[in-house]
Amino acid sequence: MKVIKRTKQWALCRTAGFISHEPRLIQGEGTLMKIPGMLRESGKSRVLVTSTPGFIRRGTLRPFFDMLEEEGIRASVFSGIDPDPTLKCVEELTTRFILDDCRAIVAIGGGSVIDCSKAAAARAVRPGKTIREMKGILRIRKKLPDFYAVPTTAGTGSEATAAAVITDMQDGRDYKYAISDVCLIPKYAVLDPALSVGLPQENTAATGMDALTHAVEAYTNRFPSELVREKALDAVRLIFENLPVAFANGSDMRARENMLFASYEAGVAITNNFVGYVHAIAHGIGGFYHMAHGRANAIILPYVLEQFGKAAAKPLSELAKASAGLAPGAKTDKSDEELAAAFIESIRDMNASLGIPLKIDDLKEEDFDILIDRAIAEANYTYPVPEIWGREEFRRVLERLLPGSDDSGE
């Protein structure tokens, strides 16, 4: 019964067009400045620009706004987006888009900015539906206004995904959930590494590990297409090569550019093969304890992969080779299980080098039941994970995440 449900859900997503959809990619230093001309050529004279207060305050975008003016584009600006975008934030942004009669959106920021902007665009074209009614898969199904996603962090992949994660209040606790529809894939993904140069080390680490989690989950899930395999493998290789460099030297433009592209590739991979139990657990923990999503993913990832055991050993062995710069078919005297274990250990080593802890300090055992409820509600049977878990498997992972718990996995 479980397998039948999952198969039907997966078939629905394939039919709806989740497979092989990508934005139009524009990449390279200075590419932000191409957008005004593109807006003019497409006849969009009114645009809503969303960003963070810091970007606006520092004047980083001043040349961009000047060029919009030169091209005859009237820009409205909205920067009041919470780090974890809420329903209130989405509604305020939707109202601004409608009242200012905008025809396109340029979202310049991290995942919160892009996700909130996606959700607001969805509300603008579906005014009769609330975000809660859009929760889940294929609840929008209407073309959004032209959407330019300009990531300033290398990790969320929102510039390439068919989802937006929103924070809602339920049962007295913040609750993160996704709205997912192919129409949420931005029309354009603009990867300008100059915009990520000032990113603090902590954010570089968390978002980079978020991208790694996307690539790993998409690759280890069932049914990966050739596109997914190609994008995920390359993303893993790029992240292992470039994240330590970007973390150590935030001004290294090549490392920043490679990380943006890795994040994009990982975003394409999860759009075409979904995330998994790492995200299902992390969304609950992020909502409960206000932990940065990428940081939560980074901590949880090795424990979930170990819990999968043999079910994920083969794809993990191939990711191990990619992380070492080897071709997936490269010969080795190690078994799939040994290579999988080595890959999981390399994730822990990466976390340690980036200052990411082994445990989640705020996690409480009394919260386990509701965290498990939310993880199961999100993941089963939507995500094509290597194996479907019941409550006991989730509990084992949460127990290992408790401060002071035995890390042996026994």
Side-chain angles (χ1 to χ4, degrees):
M1 179 64 73
K2 291 180 179 180
V3 173
I4 292 172
K5 285 186 177 182
R6 179 170 63 185
T7 302
K8 285 183 176 179
Q9 181 67 65
W10 182 244
L12 174 63
C13 295
R14 295 180 75 95
T15 303
F18 273 61
I19 303 304
S20 300
H21 272 72
E22 294 184 51
R24 300 179 193 177
L25 180 61
I26 304 167
Q27 61 182 135
E29 187 175 354
T31 48
L32 173 68
M33 304 304 286
K34 292 184 177 182
I35 296 176
M38 296 171 66
L39 287 165
R40 174 182 51 77
E41 291 173 5
S42 64
K44 304 297 190 296
S45 60
R46 297 178 180 179
V47 62
L48 177 61
V49 178
T50 59
S51 192
T52 63
F55 259 74
I56 302 299
R57 184 176 59 252
R58 290 191 298 270
T60 307
L61 303 180
R62 188 69 265 164
F64 174 67
F65 289 123
D66 289 344
M67 186 167 285
L68 285 174
E69 188 173 351
E70 289 175 14
E71 295 285 3
I73 311 295
R74 192 185 79 182
S76 299
V77 180
F78 188 95
S79 62
I81 297 176
D82 303 319
D84 294 307
T86 61
L87 295 182
K88 179 176 179 290
C89 186
V90 171
E91 294 306 311
E92 289 174 352
L93 184 50
T94 304
T95 299
R96 174 68 65 84
F97 181 85
I98 294 170
L99 289 180
D100 290 357
D101 196 25
C102 297
R103 294 291 182 266
I105 295 178
V106 179
I108 307 170
S112 296
V113 170
I114 298 174
D115 280 4
C116 188
S117 302
K118 285 182 180 182
R123 283 282 292 123
V125 299
R126 285 290 193 194
K129 271 193 170 184
T130 66
I131 291 297
R132 286 176 178 171
E133 290 170 334
M134 295 179 190
K135 175 187 172 185
I137 294 177
L138 303 177
R139 304 279 174 84
I140 306 167
R141 308 192 73 172
K142 190 170 183 180
K143 184 179 179 181
L144 268 56
D146 282 4
F147 197 106
Y148 296 75
V150 189
T152 59
T153 64
T156 70
S158 188
E159 71 278 1
T161 67
V165 177
I166 303 301
T167 300
D168 196 353
M169 177 71 76
Q170 294 186 17
D171 302 322
R173 291 284 189 98
D174 283 344
Y175 179 26
K176 288 186 178 184
Y177 56 77
I179 59 173
S180 300
D181 200 313
V182 69
C183 65
L184 291 177
I185 300 174
K187 186 172 184 178
Y188 302 98
V190 182
L191 311 184
D192 187 339
L195 298 174
S196 67
V197 164
L199 195 66
Q201 278 192 321
E202 183 177 353
N203 292 353
T204 296
T207 55
M209 293 304 294
D210 192 15
L212 181 65
T213 304
H214 293 160
V216 171
E217 292 207 289
Y219 195 86
T220 55
N221 278 351
R222 293 173 180 264
F223 322 123
S225 64
E226 283 305 310
L227 172 73
V228 169
R229 291 171 60 84
E230 174 189 332
K231 297 291 187 184
L233 284 169
D234 196 47
V236 167
R237 177 185 64 81
L238 285 171
I239 291 165
F240 271 87
E241 290 176 357
N242 292 277
L243 180 53
V245 178
F247 180 79
N249 178 11
S251 298
D252 189 309
M253 196 66 71
R254 181 173 178 80
R256 289 294 191 188
E257 186 169 11
N258 285 337
M259 282 303 301
L260 277 175
F261 187 60
S263 174
Y264 170 82
E265 289 195 301
V268 173
I270 60 171
T271 292
N272 289 279
N273 208 35
F274 293 89
V275 289
Y277 285 146
V278 177
H279 274 73
I281 296 170
H283 285 151
I285 285 174
F288 264 47
Y289 310 117
H290 301 285
M291 172 177 276
H293 175 65
R295 188 176 177 88
N297 275 345
I299 299 170
I300 297 165
L301 177 59
Y303 297 105
V304 167
L305 297 180
E306 285 176 337
Q307 183 62 43
F308 280 138
K310 290 184 179 181
K314 177 63 174 174
L316 286 177
S317 72
E318 294 168 355
L319 291 175
K321 295 173 185 176
S323 68
L326 302 174
K331 298 298 183 182
T332 174
D333 57 355
K334 293 184 178 180
S335 67
D336 288 344
E337 287 79 8
E338 289 172 326
L339 285 170
F343 181 67
I344 294 169
E345 193 58 32
S346 71
I347 294 172
R348 286 202 171 94
D349 290 343
M350 178 85 83
N351 279 340
S353 72
L354 300 174
I356 294 172
L358 283 168
K359 308 291 182 178
I360 296 177
D361 289 341
D362 293 331
L363 183 62
K364 298 177 179 63
E365 192 166 2
E366 57 262 34
D367 295 332
F368 280 10
D369 283 339
I370 191 167
L371 287 171
I372 293 169
D373 287 343
R374 290 183 177 185
I376 289 175
E378 174 181 335
N380 293 351
Y381 304 95
T382 303
Y383 299 158
V385 289
E387 63 178 10
I388 294 179
W389 289 356
R391 302 185 69 84
E392 185 56 37
E393 289 86 355
F394 282 106
R395 184 171 292 277
R396 286 182 199 142
V397 169
L398 290 172
E399 286 172 348
R400 295 187 67 197
L401 290 166
L402 282 170
S405 62
D406 177 19
D407 196 43
S408 67
E410 297 298 329

